[in-house]
């Protein structure tokens, strides 16, 4: 399951108010949320992001408000995976729960720059920076959290469990 | 092996004798909470699961973020919450005018209690740890699954122990304690972790102080913040909590991943500069910073003690001519009480706007949005870029005493700066 895409690079402590400002939370239509994604710090993102582009950020990505509108907006932008030094915990849960893969790579994130091309294996967590030649391995998902991710999110996982029960 | 408070509550709700950090568990939920922003999208996910709600008495729905409805889309969100509450006979639904801000009213009405496990689709759900329960924020999908199954998955967190000693000076509030702690450990200092408060210093903290402190555990990245249950807690819940509850204590040999010491007697009023809650500075060490607006309220500081502290400072004084001061009680009870005690008169006579309970300005929703280059001193919990409006506005976080003194002087100030 290798993906290839161009990097949109952001810094540390990117909060969910920045990912999707509260003034747009009166809707939860994914496409409408995507059209405002990151607007307060990077107006070009929503306009220019291409299907398959990858978001890469520093530590504590997704801190602040629990709004699931934030990972929904990123996913609906066409971003298939987010890579960060670390994720804030509610965002991390939300990403897994909606089937947006999140890969944590610690300080290795410093070796990825805006515009780099990455090849990412969502299953093994192997990340190749095709621009620089660097290779990284993301921390694996623990236990049944991996099963939630594999099911494509928590709702599918719960439904599968109900059917198999 | 000894367990700390968080581990004990999680074990209890997972049906296990003991749990350890890193363990993945599924827990039974005592309370599931959502608001007008987070509940409606979860209803869609809930319908996909296709079962009734797990228990109509263990769900709380509080339209508080965009209410009283700020626009037509928000009115539709509120209506979705109201319709769901009616359809599923949700007992703890709080209509506009009959409740207030979720994290103010749930403790106030005795809906949350010691030992309970609560999830809420709002990051400040961690507030209820003040009462000795485990409570944490989740997103829409976790909420939907919680509504349907009454269960949620957790990774047992490591725990940071914050040992409080001494007694805080008269001009220091719970907000100063928490902003100081976040300044010490950073906005990701407790990432994926629990924060357990302990030590002799706890007993001198009022329940409103503790609610403010636990409320901001998330601003240090924390999963939850939790306080021991003592006489202050018992006095608070005595006439409020009608159901059975369990008091949990940390074992003497409980494990902590980090110990932090705070001597409350050494604290001074502080303010968190833009754009992170961890940019904490002592008010007596900052240059003159002129301000345009002050907000006193929110789930962090919208309780009666906050109103009392602000009113005592504003009494016989006026809001600076260049400042708008907006006072928002956190609940209908706080609102009535501040009228009864004369605080509302003090604020209005001082030239402040006093509004009905709402989250409003805290998240830049309505009731006090900032334009470019405006500065606000706010008793709320976040000062992220653009949080209260324009991306080039600035929010400075502080306690109610700093907010009130700043409103009077038109610059960031502490009570001792007033003549």
């Amino acid at each position: 399951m290798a993906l290839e895409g161009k990097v949109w690079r952001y810094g540390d402590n990117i909060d969910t108010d920045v990912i999707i400002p509260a003034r747009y939370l009166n809707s939860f239509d994914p496409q409408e949320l995507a059209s405002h994604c990151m607007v307060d710090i990077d107006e070009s993102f929503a306009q220019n992001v291409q299907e398959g582009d990858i978001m890469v950020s520093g530590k504590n990505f997704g801190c602040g408000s629990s709004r699931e509108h934030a990972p929904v907006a990123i996913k609906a932008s066409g971003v298939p995976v987010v890579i960060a030094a670390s994720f804030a915990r509610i965002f991390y849960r939300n990403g897994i729960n909606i089937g947006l893969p999140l890969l944590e790579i610690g300080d290795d994130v410093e070796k990825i720059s805006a515009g780099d091309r990455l090849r990412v294996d969502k299953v093994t967590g192997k990340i190749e920076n095709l621009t620089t030649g660097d290779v990284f391995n993301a921390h694996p998902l623990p236990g049944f959290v991996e099963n939630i991710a594999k099911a494509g999110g928590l709702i599918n996982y719960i439904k599968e469990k109900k059917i198999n029960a | 092996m000894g367990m700390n408070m968080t581990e004990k509550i999680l074990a209890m709700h997972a049906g296990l004798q003991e749990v350890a950090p890193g363990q993945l568990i599924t827990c039974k939920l005592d309370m599931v909470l959502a608001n007008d922003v987070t509940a409606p999208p979860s209803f869609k996910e809930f319908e996909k699961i296709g079962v009734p709600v797990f228990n109509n008495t263990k769900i709380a729905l509080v339209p508080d973020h965009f209410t009283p409805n700020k626009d037509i889309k928000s009115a539709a969100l509120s209506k979705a919450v109201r319709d769901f509450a009616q359809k599923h006979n949700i007992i703890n639904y709080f209509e506009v005018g009959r409740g207030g801000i979720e994290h103010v009213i749930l403790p106030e009405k005795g809906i949350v209690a010691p030992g309970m496990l609560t999830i809420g689709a709002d990051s400040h759900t961690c507030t209820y740890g003040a009462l000795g329960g485990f409570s944490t924020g989740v997103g829409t999908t976790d909420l939907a699954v919680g509504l349907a199954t009454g269960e949620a998955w957790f990774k047992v967190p490591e725990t940071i122990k914050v040992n409080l000693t001494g007694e805080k000076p008269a001009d220091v509030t719970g907000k100063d304690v928490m902003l100081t702690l976040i300044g010490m450990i950073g906005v990701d200092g407790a990432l994926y972790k629990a924060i357990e408060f302990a030590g002799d210093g706890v007993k001198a903290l009022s329940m409103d102080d503790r609610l403010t402190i636990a409320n901001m555990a998330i601003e240090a990245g924390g999963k939850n913040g939790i306080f021991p249950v003592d006489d202050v807690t018992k006095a608070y819940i005595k006439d409020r909590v009608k159901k059975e509850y369990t008091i949990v204590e940390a074992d003497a040999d409980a494990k902590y991943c980090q110990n932090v010491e705070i001597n409350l007697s050494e604290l001074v009023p502080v303010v968190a500069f833009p754009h992170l809650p961890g940019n904490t500075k002592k008010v007596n060490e900052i240059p003159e910073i002129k301000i345009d607006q002050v907000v006193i309220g929110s789930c962090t500081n919208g309780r009666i003690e906050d109103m009392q502290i602000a009113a005592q400072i504003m009494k016989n004084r006026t809001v600076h001519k260049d400042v708008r001061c907006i006072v928002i009680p956190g609940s209908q009870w706080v609102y009535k009480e501040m009228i009864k005690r004369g605080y509302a008169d003090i604020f209005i006579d001082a030239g402040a706007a006093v509004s009905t309970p709402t989250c409003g300005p805290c998240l830049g929703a309505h009731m006090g949005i900032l334009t470019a280059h405006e500065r606000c001193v706010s008793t709320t919990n976040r000062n992220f870029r653009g949080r209260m409006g324009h991306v080039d506005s600035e929010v400075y976080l502080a306690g109610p005493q700093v907010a009130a003194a700043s409103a009077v002087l038109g610059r960031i100030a502490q009570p001792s700066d007033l003549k």
Side-chain angles (χ1 to χ4, degrees), chain B residues 255-284:
Chain B
K255 297 274 184 300
Y256 298 91
C257 65
Q258 187 184 345
N259 286 286
V260 177
E261 294 284 334
I262 295 181
N263 184 341
L264 298 173
S265 68
E266 293 171 359
L267 299 187
V268 295
V270 294
V271 57
F273 273 42
H275 293 285
L276 283 176
N279 286 340
T280 310
K281 297 182 196 300
K282 294 175 179 169
V283 175
N284 61 13

Side-chain angles (χ1 to χ4, degrees), chain B residues 373-393:
Chain B
H373 312 300
E374 285 195 314
R375 292 199 186 109
C376 179
V377 172
S378 182
T379 66
T380 55
N381 41 57
R382 292 194 172 123
N383 55 355
F384 300 148
R385 190 174 289 280
R387 171 79 176 176
M388 203 177 269
H390 197 280
V391 66
D392 293 324
S393 61

Side-chain angles (χ1 to χ4, degrees), chain A residues 17 68 87 93 97 104 162, chain B residues 49 140-142 153 192:
Chain A
D17 275 272
E68 203 163 292
F87 292 94
R93 285 184 81 96
N97 286 344
E104 240 180 28
K162 245 177 52 181
Chain B
I49 303 170
T140 295
T141 306
D142 273 318
W153 65 270
Y192 307 129

